[in-house]
Amino acid sequence: MSEIKVNSIKGVAASDAAITINNTDGSCAVNNTQRQGKNLVDNGAFSIKQRTASSITTSGYLIDRFKTSFANHDEALTSSYVDVASGTTPYTLGFRKALKITNGNQTSGANSNDFVGINHVIESMNVASSGWNYKSTTSYISVSFWIKASVSQKYYMRLFSGDGTQKVWVIDTGVLTANTWTKITDKIPGHADLTFHFDNGAGLHAQFIPYYGTDFTDSSVPVGSWTAFSGSAQIPDMTTTWWTTNDATFEITGFQIEVGPNVTDFMFETPAVAQERCMRYYLEVASGGMVFGQANIYTHVSFPVVMRGAPTLVVTPGAGTPAGLVANAFGFYGYNSLGPQAFLFTASAEY
């Protein structure tokens, strides 16, 4: 009987081995680019929008799990929930919705403290239990997303850890072709300084950056390597063109972070599953009341999912808001003295 003894099998032009052999026990690890693992990003297809507004002109959430932040502008920017145009890629791959930012008219030009970004936070326990050996430089996560902008220039996306010694990884999109969807990918190794606690805190932050002023940039910030977190040197210096172009647009969809060195096909979820993941952080529930006595009408609501933590409650209508509201991750209760009344409760446990 003949046999072949090798350490690994790798394609001629490949940078990673397709099969790696354990020389001690003979087991192997297969690098399967079609693997469908878990996407650590909630609502990565941008299919869920529980909030009723079609657009907002303030910093905040429009689409679940993605928060737009901007400041020091002359005219407010607009966040919109938009369709991916049919016939385009990523439409042909199954993506139907995107988050779009439309710039205002920044008449004073680009000032050092101007900024706009889109933020997503992955819960720390979800990173800690993902299977990524984040302390090891030979263990990877892979990042992929689709991006489109009306201004042809270079943009940045960055990841940074929320626990322990904070580290930052910057991704460079390269100069994009205006008004054309482009898929960006990156492979990110672990680092000895990374820490992710097994708790409900903010673990891994992801930020998409149409523009940051020079108060937040520095030419020394590296792309494609872990570096120390800095509030004043978050990304490399950016060109000001997008920020100074009235009504410039910036869109993203198809955001995926997965464990492993290879970017695989996007793992689509049914809208029901995607919404359930989002409801851990934000949901709206309606409630009437039950009469337990002559004086007060009592309300008790159990949440359909366990929320990340005790939520902040906003009650509509405000008149007759139940008193003594007590909330935790499982639900809430309270009472009012105005008789039977229907309420809409918005519960938020967002970061």
Side-chain angles (χ1 to χ4, degrees):
M1 183 180 71
S2 61
E3 62 182 359
I4 299 175
K5 294 184 177 181
V6 295
N7 293 318
S8 64
I9 299 174
K10 182 166 62 175
V12 174
S15 59
D16 298 303
I19 300 176
T20 303
I21 311 298
N22 184 316
N23 291 323
T24 301
D25 61 15
S27 62
C28 69
V30 179
N31 186 1
N32 182 1
T33 59
Q34 299 304 311
R35 170 185 52 82
Q36 288 288 322
K38 178 177 175 58
N39 184 3
L40 296 180
V41 176
D42 298 318
N43 201 24
F46 293 81
S47 59
I48 303 303
K49 186 179 78 67
Q50 297 183 77
R51 296 157 176 87
T52 57
S54 59
S55 64
I56 57 173
T57 55
T58 60
S59 293
Y61 288 93
L62 173 70
I63 297 174
D64 282 68
R65 308 296 296 120
F66 289 88
K67 181 179 182 180
T68 302
S69 299
F70 57 86
N72 308 312
H73 48 281
D74 298 305
E75 183 178 77
L77 291 78
T78 302
S79 299
S80 304
Y81 188 48
V82 299
D83 294 329
V84 175
S86 62
T88 65
T89 308
Y91 183 95
T92 56
L93 298 176
F95 298 99
R96 295 295 183 268
K97 292 292 184 178
L99 173 59
K100 179 179 182 179
I101 297 178
T102 302
N103 193 15
N105 190 6
Q106 313 310 337
T107 55
S108 65
N111 300 303
S112 62
N113 61 350
D114 296 338
F115 72 87
V116 56
I118 300 170
N119 308 286
H120 179 84
V121 181
I122 301 173
E123 203 166 331
S124 191
M125 67 173 66
N126 292 343
V127 182
S129 62
S130 67
W132 180 31
N133 184 7
Y134 49 83
K135 294 285 189 183
S136 171
T137 58
T138 59
S139 183
Y140 297 87
I141 54 173
S142 295
V143 176
S144 58
F145 57 90
W146 288 89
I147 182 172
K148 182 174 75 168
S150 63
V151 174
S152 177
Q153 66 169 63
K154 182 186 297 184
Y155 300 89
Y156 293 101
M157 181 264 192
R158 72 174 190 150
L159 302 174
F160 66 90
S161 56
D163 292 330
T165 302
Q166 289 186 285
K167 306 293 288 186
V168 180
W169 182 282
V170 177
I171 297 173
D172 177 343
T173 68
V175 176
L176 300 181
T177 300
N179 299 307
T180 302
W181 283 108
T182 302
K183 186 177 183 178
I184 306 298
T185 65
D186 201 8
K187 180 177 76 171
I188 302 175
H191 190 283
D193 290 342
L194 288 175
T195 299
F196 297 101
H197 300 310
F198 191 73
D199 60 24
N200 65 352
L204 188 63
H205 300 250
Q207 295 179 328
F208 298 88
I209 302 168
Y211 180 69
Y212 271 12
T214 54
D215 283 357
F216 315 105
T217 70
D218 192 280
S219 60
S220 66
V221 177
V223 170
S225 64
W226 288 108
T227 189
F229 179 91
S230 169
S232 60
Q234 300 186 27
I235 58 171
D237 293 331
M238 290 190 72
T239 181
T240 63
T241 310
W242 189 92
W243 183 256
T244 56
T245 300
N246 186 30
D247 293 334
T249 59
F250 181 94
E251 298 176 59
I252 54 172
T253 193
F255 181 29
Q256 181 157 281
I257 298 178
E258 56 191 314
V259 176
N262 299 293
V263 171
T264 69
D265 295 339
F266 189 87
M267 189 188 75
F268 284 96
E269 299 174 315
T270 65
V273 171
Q275 181 160 344
E276 185 173 337
R277 288 178 66 176
C278 291
M279 288 168 66
R280 177 167 171 79
Y281 305 91
Y282 177 90
L283 60 86
E284 296 180 355
V285 291
S287 174
M290 294 179 290
V291 180
F292 284 106
Q294 295 183 350
N296 296 314
I297 305 297
Y298 288 84
T299 293
H300 176 271
V301 172
S302 295
F303 296 140
V305 301
V306 177
M307 299 195 74
R308 183 182 66 86
T312 300
L313 295 176
V314 176
V315 187
T316 306
T321 295
L325 277 176
V326 177
N328 58 29
F330 302 94
F332 63 87
Y333 64 87
Y335 62 89
N336 76 79
S337 58
L338 299 180
Q341 192 169 359
F343 297 100
L344 176 66
F345 294 87
T346 297
S348 177
E350 298 275 17
Y351 293 100

